[in-house]
Amino acid sequence: RTLLTAGDDGAIFLMSVSGLAPSVGSGEETLTTTLGSTAGAATAAATDMAMAASAAEAVLVLRSLVRKRSEQSKKLRAENHALKNSLDNERQRLEAECQAKVQEARQKDQAEIQELSRRRDVITKAMQRKASESEQIMRSMVSSHTQAAEQLGSLYEKKVSFEEERYGDLLAEQSRLEDQIKQAQDQLARQLK
């Protein structure tokens, strides 16, 4: 059997088909051909075939095998595309989950910060109120102590003044009694003379 083919550059190949040979390890059938001659010279001599066989070999593949390989290639490309889409979807899902968790953590942190700020404000206001109350109590105590001291001072001054008047009265009474005693002594002395 002979196979004739031409290339784009104008070269014509005449090949002699030597038979069917199984492909090694695959179990698929291929046609092995041996290059017979080039540039239109076609001879069927055994010497030319031996020379052409040593020059080059060509392998022809069955159309069903090419179709099968093409379908497998399409399936693998589709599977590859599906896996890429799946990976992309998984990446997007994981990124979305990560963003959601980050957002949730931020909201939780913000809520905690707000709660701590609220507590700090409450404690600060309570401290200010207690400080104000303490200051007011201190002012009240100082005022009451000052009033008590003033009252005690006034009472002491009144008592001192009263005692001074009484002392003055007692001195006057003493002087009067001394005068009476002197007069009585003088009278008694006159009566005794």
Side-chain angles (χ1 to χ4, degrees):
R1 291 187 271 175
T2 315
L3 178 65
L4 179 69
T5 183
D8 287 340
D9 60 351
I12 297 174
F13 294 96
L14 182 63
M15 290 177 254
S16 172
V17 178
S18 63
L20 295 175
S23 175
V24 178
S26 67
E28 298 159 346
E29 292 183 346
T30 57
L31 291 174
T32 306
T33 60
T34 316
L35 185 61
S37 65
T38 60
T43 61
T47 57
D48 288 342
M49 283 180 31
M51 192 174 79
S54 66
E57 283 188 7
V59 176
L60 299 179
V61 180
L62 294 174
R63 184 176 291 166
S64 62
L65 184 61
V66 171
R67 193 176 304 128
K68 184 177 177 183
R69 294 285 188 213
S70 177
E71 287 173 5
Q72 284 179 347
S73 177
K74 283 180 185 177
K75 284 180 184 176
L76 289 174
R77 282 193 189 109
E79 188 178 338
N80 185 24
H81 185 67
L83 287 173
K84 282 183 180 178
N85 285 342
S86 175
L87 283 174
D88 193 42
N89 290 340
E90 185 69 15
R91 180 185 55 79
Q92 289 175 356
R93 184 185 65 79
L94 290 174
E95 283 179 358
E97 283 181 9
C98 182
Q99 287 292 334
K101 286 182 180 180
V102 167
Q103 188 65 25
E104 181 182 343
R106 282 184 182 158
Q107 288 175 352
K108 188 176 179 182
D109 289 345
Q110 283 296 97
E112 191 173 339
I113 288 169
Q114 288 175 353
E115 177 63 22
L116 291 174
S117 296
R118 185 191 65 78
R119 286 183 186 175
R120 182 202 62 211
D121 292 343
V122 167
I123 290 170
T124 303
K125 286 178 182 176
M127 286 176 58
Q128 289 173 348
R129 190 170 54 249
K130 284 186 179 182
S132 176
E133 287 174 0
S134 297
E135 190 176 334
Q136 187 176 4
I137 289 169
M138 284 295 293
R139 273 190 262 129
S140 173
M141 288 175 67
V142 167
S143 175
S144 65
H145 285 150
T146 304
Q147 286 177 356
E150 287 175 357
Q151 287 175 355
L152 286 173
S154 175
L155 183 63
Y156 180 74
E157 286 176 6
K158 285 180 182 177
K159 194 170 184 179
V160 167
S161 176
F162 174 73
E163 291 295 326
E164 283 177 354
E165 284 178 18
R166 204 171 122 199
Y167 181 70
D169 290 343
L170 287 174
L171 284 177
E173 182 68 25
Q174 182 185 3
S175 177
R176 187 182 64 75
L177 288 174
E178 284 176 355
D179 285 342
Q180 279 182 355
I181 290 173
K182 193 172 184 187
Q183 286 175 1
Q185 282 178 346
D186 287 343
Q187 227 178 18
L188 191 64
R190 270 183 286 184
Q191 285 176 359
L192 286 173
K193 284 186 189 177

